[in-house]
Amino acid sequence: MVAIDLIIRGATLIDGTGGVPFEADVAVAGDRIAMIGGVPEAVSAREVDARGLVLAPGFIDAHTHDDRAVLEPPAAMACKLSQGVATVIVGNCGVSLSPLLSDRRPVAPLDLLGDERWWRYDSFAAYAKQLAHRPPAVNVLAFVGHISLRARVMGDDLARAADASEIARMRALLEEALEQGAAGFSSGLAYPPARAAPTEELIEIGRPLEKYDGLYVTHMRDEGDGVIDSIEESAAIGRAIGCATVISHHKCALRENFGRSIVTLKLIDTAAKGQQLDFDVYPYAASSTALLLELLRDDLPVRITWSEPVPEAAGRMLDDLAREWGVSLADAARRLQPAGAVYFSMDEVDVQRILAHPAAMVGSDGLPHDERPHPRLWGTFPRVLGHYARDLGLFPLETAVHKMTGLTAKIFGLRDRGVIREGAFADLVLFDPGTIIDRATFDDPARRSDGIVELWVNGRTAWRYDGGPSPEGTGRLLRRYPAV
Ligand code: CU
Ligand code: ZN
């Protein structure tokens, strides 16, 4: 028999499959789950009395911008560790740290990952090497972003479609990254540096995804009036390439589109009958990204999350600042650039309808380097478990867990993760189902959630409620293994 290192006794297991909870002991040997059931005593093992608590697979954050945070010491990932997150998907919305070198602050939204100091990885292999050299706090699955590729190949000339030779170079860079372990290709077609790219550009760059079984993940061109066309475009790109596709942070933005999730979800369901098409969602009715002038409207409340020239604006409402300064919203926004913002642009009914859809995965879309971040950075997972599942009864707790573990692992191809079973990796989270809840708010956004007791990543303690993050990284860079 293998040497047992850890025994978690008497927890209620929610195993990530969506199946009914059951009580059992779990034994961990090395980085794997060795045994489930009545585990005999083992002399050298640490014993954890987990009666009254839930043991679930460590959560998988389906959508993050943690590309840089995972390169920093584990404390930089406290926002996720404290929620029970064991794995993050990075490189989303067309924005990835590799393959791009830059000695100046890159164009928004690339700069949400950092200023000129952070663009040092001219290949995916260089980024992967850094993660191997200093293991990240959590596991990482990484995408290569369309905007990063454009900035690399087209420089500052981004307000146009790429020509044939530029497309060929971007395709070659993507293929190289896939060869080196990237999980796929992401786009952020709503953003100015990508908006001029026609559908055909995405398809032609994305061709290597078919050969490598890579995923296409997309922050769509339009999440407001044009959301239907955008879903059709996303599905068409996936079909043309012949790859699985994930729609990022699905929403129906702006007042005139409230309620349209009935139609969008139906459209996704229909398309998904003929191709692999999935989506993630964060559990809040407000979005957050760079402060973009074209997003401003009189009826859209906007809160500043950071501003380079006016740091004290972080946390303030844009209209208050405009009034104080005696200028228009647009002029106030210009004065704050570069800057980030929260946009209160959604309807809670849509958020709940999307979240409750059986195919919906949970992803935070948190922005870890913002001065006053959207509370999704610190609160997403406990909010789904505590607020939406337990308090509102939107779905059973095991369904909530499935949306952040087994379902996500299946779609992103994370082999032996996202489930509690013998032989699977010991990514495990212990939490109190009675008290788990998010504490981060728009007014006080960096507050740690309640109810997460301990998190193990690859069999080792990554975070404890009464001890914080472990000083050494317990995660690793993962590869995608698509289901056959
Ligand atoms: Cu994003
Ligand atoms: Zn996005």
Side-chain angles (χ1 to χ4, degrees):
M1 207 186 102
V2 290
I4 302 296
D5 301 303
L6 168 71
I7 301 170
I8 302 162
R9 289 213 188 269
T12 299
L13 265 52
I14 296 187
D15 68 4
T17 64
V20 285
F22 60 101
E23 204 172 293
D25 301 339
V26 170
V28 172
D31 62 0
R32 302 268 184 170
I33 295 167
M35 198 188 299
I36 298 170
V39 176
E41 268 173 49
V43 200
S44 59
R46 174 186 164 210
E47 293 243 356
V48 175
D49 178 3
R51 281 170 298 176
L53 301 175
V54 165
L55 189 69
F59 304 141
I60 301 166
D61 191 340
H63 185 107
T64 83
H65 296 284
D66 294 337
D67 306 48
R68 163 188 153 194
V70 294
L71 299 173
E72 298 181 64
M77 288 296 290
C79 50
K80 298 294 169 67
L81 293 164
S82 61
Q83 296 184 62
V85 171
T87 300
V88 295
I89 316 283
V90 308
N92 285 292
C93 299
V95 175
S96 59
L97 268 191
S98 80
L100 182 61
L101 294 178
S102 180
D103 49 17
R104 61 197 167 91
R105 185 188 187 91
V107 63
L110 295 179
D111 66 345
L112 70 84
L113 292 181
D115 58 19
E116 59 282 355
R117 291 166 297 176
W118 290 94
W119 300 87
R120 303 186 298 224
Y121 307 102
D122 72 334
S123 66
F124 188 84
Y127 181 69
K129 194 174 155 203
Q130 184 59 33
L131 288 172
H133 172 69
R134 193 158 79 177
V138 298
N139 300 313
V140 177
L141 185 79
F143 283 78
V144 164
H146 177 228
I147 299 175
S148 298
L149 291 175
R150 287 191 123 225
R152 158 98 176 230
V153 168
M154 301 165 70
D156 290 336
D157 191 14
L158 298 170
R160 60 174 177 86
D163 66 28
S165 78
E166 289 162 341
I167 287 175
R169 284 174 62 202
M170 289 191 267
R171 185 195 302 129
L173 286 164
L174 175 63
E175 174 147 16
E176 180 186 271
L178 293 168
E179 180 70 44
Q180 294 168 348
F185 180 41
S186 80
S187 69
L189 295 172
Y191 289 112
R195 203 174 288 154
T199 307
E200 207 49 33
E201 177 179 318
L202 280 297
I203 295 169
E204 290 310 318
I205 297 171
R207 290 286 179 204
L209 292 172
E210 191 198 5
K211 175 174 157 200
Y212 288 86
D213 267 318
L215 266 176
Y216 173 59
V217 302
T218 179
H219 174 155
M220 301 193 300
R221 204 177 282 282
D222 192 332
E223 296 176 308
D225 298 358
V227 64
I228 298 290
D229 287 348
S230 288
I231 292 170
E232 281 168 353
E233 179 185 35
S234 306
I237 292 170
R239 278 196 309 272
I241 296 171
C243 68
T245 301
V246 174
I247 293 169
S248 298
H249 43 62
H250 183 40
K251 64 175 73 71
C252 295
L254 303 176
R255 190 169 303 277
E256 54 273 27
N257 300 304
F258 289 180
R260 292 182 78 191
S261 58
I262 296 175
V263 184
T264 63
L265 292 171
K266 237 179 235 154
L267 179 60
I268 293 171
D269 282 341
T270 307
K273 286 184 184 135
Q275 68 187 107
Q276 190 68 43
L277 179 65
D278 296 281
F279 61 93
D280 62 72
V281 60
Y282 50 79
Y284 296 87
S287 65
S288 182
T289 186
L291 177 62
L292 299 171
L293 262 84
E294 67 268 28
L295 296 181
L296 302 179
R297 310 196 332 179
D298 288 335
D299 65 347
L300 178 66
V302 170
R303 191 167 191 146
I304 303 305
T305 53
W306 60 275
S307 162
E308 183 105 319
V310 195
E312 63 275 18
R316 303 282 313 277
M317 297 302 293
L318 182 64
D319 58 349
D320 287 341
L321 290 166
R323 217 170 299 124
E324 261 173 50
W325 295 339
V327 300
S328 68
L329 284 181
D331 281 339
R334 266 184 218 107
R335 203 180 281 194
L336 294 165
Q337 297 292 348
V342 164
Y343 304 85
F344 296 89
S345 59
M346 289 170 247
D347 185 22
E348 177 65 21
V349 176
D350 285 317
V351 173
Q352 292 189 21
R353 187 181 291 122
I354 293 169
L355 192 58
H357 188 285
M361 298 178 277
V362 177
S364 72
D365 202 9
L367 300 174
H369 312 299
D370 286 10
E371 185 65 36
R372 296 262 305 191
H374 186 305
R376 64 195 185 184
L377 177 67
W378 286 82
T380 290
F381 295 85
R383 181 170 172 81
V384 172
L385 298 166
H387 176 65
Y388 286 109
R390 182 193 56 226
D391 296 347
L392 296 190
L394 195 57
F395 31 65
L397 195 57
E398 57 268 29
T399 302
V401 168
H402 180 59
K403 289 174 175 296
M404 48 183 84
T405 58
L407 178 63
T408 320
K410 188 172 122 230
I411 289 162
F412 283 92
L414 303 177
R415 191 162 65 188
D416 294 342
R417 300 196 190 263
V419 288
I420 297 182
R421 87 169 126 62
E422 291 178 2
F425 285 101
D427 293 343
L428 296 165
V429 57
L430 192 61
F431 68 87
D432 183 339
T435 63
I436 190 161
I437 199 71
D438 57 305
R439 294 286 178 207
T441 63
F442 290 98
D443 286 323
D444 194 1
R447 284 184 70 187
R448 174 174 83 160
S449 300
D450 278 345
I452 303 282
V453 177
E454 185 160 351
L455 170 70
W456 292 268
V457 176
N458 295 307
R460 292 160 65 201
T461 297
W463 189 87
R464 289 173 82 153
Y465 190 82
D466 47 14
S470 294
E472 250 160 78
T474 47
R476 45 183 87 144
L477 182 65
L478 305 180
R479 282 191 91 120
R480 167 174 158 81
Y481 296 95
V484 277

